[in-house]
Amino acid sequence: MKKRLILLFVFSFSLFVTSYSNEHKGTAGIMAETNSGVSIKSSRMEYPVQLLPGQSFSGWYYYWSNSGAISANLQISPAVNWLIITPSSFTSNGCSDIKAVNYTFIAPAAPGTYSTSIIDLNNNWEATNVTLTVTNSPTLNRYDSTVSAPSGQTANRYHVSSYMPITNLGCNYNYFPGSQCQTIHTLHPAVTWLNINPNNFLVNQNSSVTAVKSFNYNTAGIYHTLECRTKQWFSNPVYIYWTFNVGAISVQNLGQEIPEEYSLSQNYPNPFNPKTIINFQLPMSNDVKLIVYDVLGKEVAVLVNEQLKPGTYEVEWNASDYPSGVYFYKLTTGDFVETKKMMLVK
């Protein structure tokens, strides 16, 4: 039996749809939230999910008929204790009669890969292979982001959650699975230096809610946490691995001229107290890391960790919360790696 699969990828503000089709008796679809990229997966029905140990998550799968009344009698095979589907039996009367099925995951405490299949005992829908990966470091729908701020100062980031109609699910052109959509932000581990407000809220149809993420800490250093964002009616959580660099200043582009080669300049002034400037050049767009280490090789400050366009850049490091001594700063971009020494004297 062949199947048409429609994968929906919802961005912060926009909805993008990709599809491919073969005529058949029944259709299932996934809605999945992500922050970048639209891709088409194979026609084989696969449902991968990555969760933290012990994490619970409700994902959603959508079924509809392309040819009159079609009934489903879904069964988890083999039976597992980490997955529940509701409802397991239903009838779709046509392509506009979409049935939302809730897949409730309860991740085991032990990291590992767990798998099962959802089969239709009526043989109207093909089996869906479900793979649950339990890990402390999820990679599916994960994005890394760095925020820098001086000690005691607040840096804000924003996320807009919208609930707009799905325009290409079955033969519905303005389909809402429900009247509201719940969004939840959680931190793993919970930290005092990041506050998300609101962190649990409902979004009405054709509306949006902005969550403010406020970063603030008084002690210089590098801090990490993992944000998990779950959104009702979607099939996967989104993870953001935050690096909060307290005591650094954001990178600045000094001009439009494109350099001929990569370079890392000596900081100035050197020795310094408490601020110093570091310049570097990029002849092409690339991912860039500029990291400060102490004499023991311990990472003490992430000055840059992002993709930058070609240009000459300047970053100021405020080391007022760091002890006197020798430090090393290392630039890594593409195949170019260079390290230089500097001295803080108070």
Side-chain angles (χ1 to χ4, degrees):
M1 181 187 304
K2 294 184 178 180
K3 180 182 291 290
R4 181 177 64 186
L5 171 64
I6 295 181
L7 291 169
L8 303 180
F9 297 84
V10 179
F11 292 69
S12 296
F13 298 96
S14 305
L15 179 66
F16 295 82
V17 180
T18 62
S19 66
Y20 56 91
S21 63
N22 287 298
E23 290 302 319
H24 66 296
K25 290 194 291 183
T27 303
I30 303 173
M31 289 205 305
E33 184 185 25
T34 184
N35 281 349
S36 63
V38 178
S39 62
I40 299 177
K41 298 182 179 179
S42 68
S43 57
R44 183 180 178 184
M45 299 302 293
E46 302 285 346
Y47 187 2
V49 176
Q50 291 187 1
L51 298 177
L52 301 169
Q55 181 182 2
S56 296
F57 171 71
S58 290
W60 296 84
Y61 225 85
Y62 296 85
Y63 294 79
W64 63 88
S65 166
N66 277 343
S67 55
I70 299 292
S71 296
N73 185 8
L74 304 181
Q75 177 176 292
I76 301 174
S77 180
V80 294
N81 59 7
W82 48 265
L83 177 61
I84 301 171
I85 54 173
T86 307
S88 59
S89 298
F90 55 84
T91 298
S92 171
N93 293 303
C95 60
S96 63
D97 186 19
I98 297 173
K99 302 301 180 182
V101 177
N102 178 227
Y103 285 43
T104 299
F105 294 86
I106 305 171
T113 301
Y114 304 82
S115 60
T116 189
S117 294
I118 309 300
I119 62 173
D120 177 19
L121 297 181
N122 293 344
N123 200 32
N124 287 322
W125 277 273
E126 292 177 347
T128 298
N129 298 323
V130 180
T131 302
L132 170 63
T133 301
V134 180
T135 175
N136 289 300
S137 299
T139 57
L140 182 65
N141 290 339
R142 167 179 161 160
Y143 307 91
D144 295 351
S145 187
T146 298
V147 175
S148 299
S151 302
Q153 295 190 20
T154 299
N156 289 330
R157 298 294 183 269
Y158 305 89
H159 180 262
V160 178
S161 291
S162 301
Y163 186 30
M164 308 304 291
I166 304 163
T167 58
N168 189 18
L169 197 63
C171 56
N172 286 265
Y173 295 99
N174 289 284
Y175 174 72
F176 283 103
S179 60
Q180 294 178 311
C181 176
Q182 184 179 28
T183 298
I184 302 175
H185 299 257
T186 55
L187 298 176
H188 307 269
V191 294
T192 59
W193 48 263
L194 173 54
N195 179 64
I196 303 177
N197 183 37
N199 58 22
N200 188 337
F201 52 89
L202 295 173
V203 184
N204 295 322
Q205 294 180 1
N206 296 309
S207 299
S208 63
V209 173
T210 299
V212 181
K213 304 176 184 182
S214 299
F215 297 78
N216 188 307
Y217 206 52
N218 292 323
T219 304
I222 303 172
Y223 304 93
H224 303 281
T225 192
L226 183 70
E227 176 190 350
C228 176
R229 184 173 72 245
T230 59
K231 195 170 182 179
Q232 188 180 11
W233 311 120
F234 294 87
S235 64
N236 273 284
V238 170
Y239 297 100
I240 303 175
Y241 185 73
W242 290 105
T243 297
F244 184 32
N245 183 31
V246 181
I249 304 298
S250 298
V251 65
Q252 298 180 19
N253 192 337
L254 299 181
Q256 300 300 319
E257 184 177 350
I258 298 178
E260 294 183 358
E261 61 184 5
Y262 291 102
S263 69
L264 175 65
S265 300
Q266 185 64 50
N267 67 299
Y268 65 91
N270 187 42
F272 66 96
N273 179 29
K275 299 179 181 180
T276 190
I277 301 294
I278 300 172
N279 288 343
F280 59 90
Q281 294 184 330
L282 305 176
M284 63 183 65
S285 296
N286 218 327
D287 293 328
V288 178
K289 288 185 178 181
L290 180 61
I291 300 176
V292 179
Y293 300 88
D294 63 16
V295 291
L296 298 178
K298 179 182 177 183
E299 188 178 290
V300 298
V302 179
L303 304 183
V304 182
N305 184 16
E306 59 185 296
Q307 186 176 79
L308 297 176
K309 296 179 180 180
T312 298
Y313 290 87
E314 175 184 286
V315 60
E316 180 184 61
W317 183 39
N318 185 343
S320 58
D321 294 320
Y322 293 85
S324 297
V326 174
Y327 292 87
F328 298 88
Y329 57 100
K330 179 180 178 182
L331 178 68
T332 304
T333 175
D335 295 328
F336 179 83
V337 179
E338 188 168 351
T339 303
K340 291 186 179 294
K341 182 171 70 173
M342 57 184 170
M343 180 172 289
L344 172 62
V345 179
K346 293 187 175 182

